[in-house]
DNA sequence: CGTTCTCGCGCG
DNA sequence: AAAGCGCGCGAGAACG
């Protein structure tokens, strides 16, 4: 099958990082500056801006468009696709290229556990084709308007467009196509199923979610008003020293001057200080810091920046963003919306806040910022005449890990609707067979153990994790909980060691059970037919956290903290976590494809949750859940369960 | 002045 | 025996 690799350079008054590729591609100021393409192994060809505008398109390229068997490949193909749909076709008169003809090299890179950016992939794969650094600088200059000079009309848009800059831009674009083609050759194709999931990802990203623009605008006014009010107060309280509570250094220094030493200004630290009976003035400053510290309110602005004219927010999902295959979020990160204040009715709160009336809002709620933050989810609504259907899988990873490990006792408990696995765990931890669901404290700890201990967590970490959920446990109790999990679910424990040993053997011998070493990648076959990839595997001696030298699998990965592509080591618990998360993702991704088929059109996914939009009363939650939990050929006996609801505003139940 | 790093926050 | 893991974004600080 012939592949044509292509890349656009473009310019616009729209900031693509804030508004996303869809809004960018539909904006009237957006123009294509050049297009480079390479048919098969032939040399890269250039179509300049002038040629494109005059309709001078080479015949071989026109033939590529016409011939429906020819595949179009781009890096981050979503951009090329929407530029084609919204500019190439309507403005330059070229025929459309259907979605099934597109492939994405960024998707391939992510699938293989490589960085997503083209220059970083090239570096990771040690390709001889490198991104052109000077060209990139020129591109960044040319892609946005320049400021008007003194004697120029400031109301007109000006661009950097010297002839030599254009030449460098052309060279840069050509080079990108070369790099992209080299990356494409070096990496395996997505599996047929994954290609379908990628296509669904593209559909969902174009479909987008409806945003309640009026409410967002009015709540933004409330935020600004409240920020102004509290900032003024903190200014007064500190004699002008703290002009903004977001300036951490200033706040720490001021507190120090009031004889209050703080290690940091994290949420918990501030909360503890507020309970420490500090002088009124200090207390109030911290209170204001807490109110204004909610970065989540920035999401309202992000929404305004990214929605299109019809108030639709698109292009927020990142395919295979996590190495396990999970989606990531962008623009308005919809994957970390605050759950909100427990017990608050956000449907009602949204209706009240959307009035944009501060006096009314204050009369109804004490914690204004907390309420505003709780209402962000509610800004996602269905379009006119439609309703949202929302369903999520119940504790999916805890279920998948016991199923993968073959831990029959736990599988049966998860399957048995009359039993509660958290209570059963609590009974063992507390040596008290009489515990029931009513023993909330005990059950809660059992729940934490069931949900948290599947990947080898130790007692110290377990104690900390419980604390983040507001559950305070002693070191002894934490150890008891962890030990009980391992004792009771020994198959899970064995699973950690089995996977670690298999991975090590595969690196050494080339293969072992589902693990294979191709030299470039260590892979692990998932039951779904997909693979997990670990780049440049090696066996190295590493130092364990408890100070022992040990042989371990190491591989290249993007460090979560530093964002650098570095060698890291892995071990049984972590590998099991990867396999489990990936399997849970596949269960959901397959369900999303079924949802699409049955008309339950997904508009968003949040790891274990699917949000669909349908004309009112054309779908039922019961059927939606059936779609989510339908038997899967490769997941027989996996005890999955889901629950859901429908409504006119998104929320956390 | 723009870019990159770090801290802090939020989610599953 | 022993090790939870996976993300992205805003704002300020640091760097060039």
């Amino acid at each position: 099958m012939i592949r044509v690799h292509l890349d656009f350079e473009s310019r616009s008054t729209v900031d693509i990082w804030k508004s996303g590729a869809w809004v960018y591609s539909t904006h009237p100021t957006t123009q294509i500056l050049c297009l480079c393409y390479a048919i098969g192994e032939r040399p890269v060809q250039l179509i300049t801006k002038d040629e494109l505008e005059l309709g001078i398109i080479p015949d071989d390229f026109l033939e590529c468009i016409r011939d429906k068997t020819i595949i179009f490949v781009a890096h981050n193909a979503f951009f090329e696709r929407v530029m084609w749909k919204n500019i190439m076709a309507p403005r330059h008169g070229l025929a459309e290229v259907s979605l099934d003809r597109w492939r994405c090299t960024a998707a391939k890179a992510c699938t293989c556990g490589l960085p997503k950016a083209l220059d970083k992939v090239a570096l990771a794969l040690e390709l001889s084709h490198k991104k052109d650094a000077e060209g990139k600088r020129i591109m960044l200059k040319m892609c946005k308007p320049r400021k008007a000079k003194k004697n120029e009309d400031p109301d007109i848009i000006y661009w950097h467009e010297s002839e030599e800059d254009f030449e460098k831009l052309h060279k840069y674009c050509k080079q990108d196509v070369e790099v992209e083609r080299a990356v494409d050759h070096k990496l395996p194709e997505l599996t047929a199923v994954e290609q379908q999931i990628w296509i669904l990802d593209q559909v969902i990203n174009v479909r987008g979610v409806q945003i309640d623009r009026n409410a967002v605008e009015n709540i933004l006014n409330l935020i600004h008003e409240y920020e102004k009010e509290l900032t003024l107060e903190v200014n007064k309280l500190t004699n002008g020293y703290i002009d903004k509570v977001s300036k951490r250094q200033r706040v720490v220094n001021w507190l120090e001057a009031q004889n209050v030493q703080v290690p940091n200004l994290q949420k918990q630290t501030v909360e503890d200080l507020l309970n420490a009976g500090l002088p009124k003035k200090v207390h109030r400053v911290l209170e204001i810091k807490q109110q204004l510290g909610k970065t989540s309110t920035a999401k309202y602005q992000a929404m305004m920046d990214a929605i299109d004219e019809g108030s639709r927010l698109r292009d927020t999902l990142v395919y295979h963003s996590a190495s396990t295959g999970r989606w990531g979020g962008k623009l308005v990160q919809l994957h970390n919306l605050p759950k909100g204040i427990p017990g608050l009715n956000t449907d009602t709160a949204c209706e009240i806040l959307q009035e944009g009336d501060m006096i009314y809002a204050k009369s109804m709620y004490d914690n204004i910022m907390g309420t505003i933050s709780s209402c962000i989810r509610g800004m996602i609504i269905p379009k006119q005449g439609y309703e949202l259907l929302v369903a999520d899988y119940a504790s999916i990873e805890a279920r998948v890990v016991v199923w993968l490990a073959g831990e029959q006792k736990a599988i049966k408990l998860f399957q048995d609707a009359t039993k509660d696995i958290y209570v059963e765990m609590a009974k063992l931890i507390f040596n008290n067979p009489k515990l029931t669901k009513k023993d909330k404290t005990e059950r809660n700890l059992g729940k934490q153990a069931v949900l948290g201990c599947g990947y080898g967590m130790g007692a110290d970490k377990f104690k900390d994790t419980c604390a983040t959920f507001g559950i305070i446990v002693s070191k002894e109790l934490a150890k008891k909980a962890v030990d009980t999990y391992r004792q009771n679910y020994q198959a899970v424990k064995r699973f950690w060691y089995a996977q670690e040993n298999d991975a090590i053997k595969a690196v050494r011998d080339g293969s072992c059970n589902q693990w294979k070493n191709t030299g470039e990648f260590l892979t692990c076959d998932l039951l779904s037919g997909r693979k997990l990839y670990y780049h440049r595997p090696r066996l190295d001696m590493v130092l364990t956290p408890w100070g022992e030298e040990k042989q371990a699998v190491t591989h290249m990965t993007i460090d979560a903290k530093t964002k650098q592509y570095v060698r890291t080591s892995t071990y049984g618990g972590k590998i099991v976590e990867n396999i489990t998360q990936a399997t849970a993702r596949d269960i959901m991704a397959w369900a999303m494809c079924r949802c699409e088929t049955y008309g339950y059109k997904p508009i968003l996914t949040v790891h274990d949750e699917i949000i669909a939009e349908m004309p009112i009363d054309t779908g039922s939650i019961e059927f939606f859940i059936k779609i989510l939990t339908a038997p899967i050929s490769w997941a027989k006996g996996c005890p999955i369960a889901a629950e859901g609801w429908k409504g006119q505003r998104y929320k956390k139940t």
Side-chain angles (χ1 to χ4, degrees), chain A residues 335-613:
Chain A
H335 286 176
N336 69 345
L337 301 178
K339 286 183 191 166
I341 300 162
L344 176 74
N345 182 330
T346 54
D347 285 340
T348 312
C350 284
E351 299 311 314
I352 291 167
L353 293 183
Q354 71 162 347
E355 300 287 327
D357 182 338
M358 182 62 86
I359 294 166
Y360 181 35
K362 277 187 176 172
S363 74
M364 300 299 291
Y365 300 105
D366 290 333
N367 181 358
I368 293 290
M369 279 314 217
T371 309
I372 287 175
S373 171
S374 304
C375 285
I376 299 176
R377 278 173 199 266
M379 298 302 103
I380 296 176
I381 56 173
K383 64 181 169 189
Q384 191 72 45
Y386 284 62
E387 59 190 353
L388 297 178
L389 289 93
V390 182
D392 67 318
Y393 290 98
S395 51
I396 180 124
E397 285 195 25
R399 288 162 183 263
V400 170
V401 74
V402 296
W403 172 69
L404 287 172
E407 181 50 72
Q408 295 304 326
K409 214 181 331 174
I411 296 171
K412 287 210 179 76
L413 279 174
F414 272 129
Q415 278 166 341
D416 187 346
T418 67
K419 290 271 173 60
D420 183 295
I421 193 169
Y422 305 147
V423 173
E424 298 305 314
M425 182 58 68
K427 285 180 185 170
L428 296 167
I429 296 171
F430 293 99
N431 295 321
N432 181 358
K434 287 184 189 146
L435 290 176
T436 69
K437 265 190 172 177
K438 283 179 191 150
D439 300 297
K440 292 240 166 79
T441 316
E442 287 81 1
R443 179 178 181 270
N444 229 349
L445 191 70
K447 179 176 175 179
Q448 290 306 322
V450 170
L451 297 181
C453 293
Y455 313 128
M457 192 191 287
D460 289 335
K461 188 79 182 184
F462 183 73
K463 185 169 172 280
D464 293 347
T465 306
C466 286
T468 67
F469 288 94
I471 306 164
I472 306 304
V473 293
S474 67
K475 177 132 195 228
E476 291 70 34
L477 187 55
K479 185 161 185 339
K480 185 78 203 305
V482 170
D483 287 347
T484 306
Y485 182 97
R486 293 178 186 175
Q487 188 60 37
N488 198 37
Y489 299 152
Q490 290 190 26
V492 175
K493 205 169 81 178
R494 284 196 299 273
F495 193 42
W496 305 334
Y497 300 112
Q499 290 304 315
E500 180 166 319
N501 286 332
D502 287 0
I504 289 173
K505 273 189 199 146
V507 174
R508 201 184 49 213
D509 307 335
S511 77
C512 182
N513 294 325
Q514 68 270 50
W515 293 85
K516 281 174 201 67
N517 183 4
T518 68
E520 186 80 23
F521 294 105
L522 172 67
T523 65
C524 175
D525 291 327
L526 299 167
L527 294 161
S528 61
R530 185 162 70 91
K531 287 176 165 62
L532 284 177
Y533 286 79
Y534 299 89
H535 194 212
R536 300 259 157 92
R538 223 164 61 188
L539 290 181
D540 287 319
M541 294 307 286
V542 301
L543 204 59
T544 63
W546 56 94
E548 183 195 321
E549 278 233 47
K550 188 190 157 186
Q551 190 180 48
V553 174
T554 68
H555 62 96
M556 297 298 287
T557 192
I558 308 149
D559 186 90
K561 252 201 155 113
T562 64
K563 308 288 172 208
Q564 296 299 303
Y565 200 59
V566 293
R567 186 159 287 278
T568 187
S569 67
T570 191
Y571 59 91
K574 193 165 162 176
I575 290 169
V576 165
E577 188 283 335
N578 292 165
I579 297 172
T580 304
Q581 193 176 97
T583 305
R585 176 273 193 191
D586 286 345
I587 288 172
M588 187 189 69
W590 286 50
M592 284 165 65
C593 293
R594 291 195 298 270
C595 286
E596 185 72 19
T597 309
Y598 283 100
Y600 287 65
K601 301 283 164 93
I603 54 165
L604 185 64
T605 164
V606 187
H607 308 311
D608 65 352
E609 186 177 1
I610 303 174
I611 298 108
E613 185 183 48

Side-chain angles (χ1 to χ4, degrees), chain A residues 140-264:
Chain A
L140 288 173
K141 187 173 86 177
M142 294 179 76
C143 71
K144 57 188 179 209
R146 66 167 173 82
K147 280 191 186 122
K149 291 171 189 162
K150 268 187 188 151
N151 54 350
E152 291 173 336
D153 181 352
D155 294 331
I156 296 175
I157 305 165
Y158 299 94
W159 307 99
H160 292 279
E161 49 188 353
S162 76
E163 243 173 74
E164 29 179 334
D165 280 351
F166 260 110
E167 267 169 40
K168 283 174 184 159
L169 187 77
H170 296 156
K171 196 174 136 230
Y172 171 76
C173 189
K174 274 187 178 174
Q175 180 62 11
D176 263 13
V177 174
E178 295 281 10
V179 179
E180 177 201 302
R181 180 163 59 180
V183 168
D184 192 32
H185 288 337
K186 191 105 189 226
L187 299 179
E189 283 302 283
L190 299 193
T191 64
V193 172
E194 267 316 300
Q195 182 63 27
Q196 288 308 307
I197 293 171
W198 179 80
I199 283 177
L200 180 57
D201 163 275
Q202 300 290 294
V203 169
I204 294 172
N205 267 317
V206 169
R207 189 174 284 152
V209 299
Q210 194 69 30
I211 298 296
D212 187 344
R213 178 194 292 258
N214 180 60
V216 172
E217 275 176 346
N218 286 339
I219 293 174
L220 264 175
N221 286 335
L222 283 184
I223 293 171
H224 294 146
E225 196 178 327
Y226 198 58
E227 265 171 3
K228 221 163 125 186
E229 187 184 313
L230 291 192
T231 304
L232 208 67
E233 189 183 342
V234 91
N235 232 310
K236 266 191 189 158
L237 285 168
T238 63
N239 294 322
Y241 187 74
I242 301 176
D243 56 338
K244 273 171 97 178
V245 285
S246 54
K247 293 189 178 173
R248 256 174 287 129
Q249 204 65 56
R250 290 238 144 192
V251 178
V252 171
N253 291 347
W254 184 82
L255 286 171
E256 208 156 292
Q258 312 300 310
N259 288 319
V260 182
Q261 316 289 334
V262 289
N264 54 47

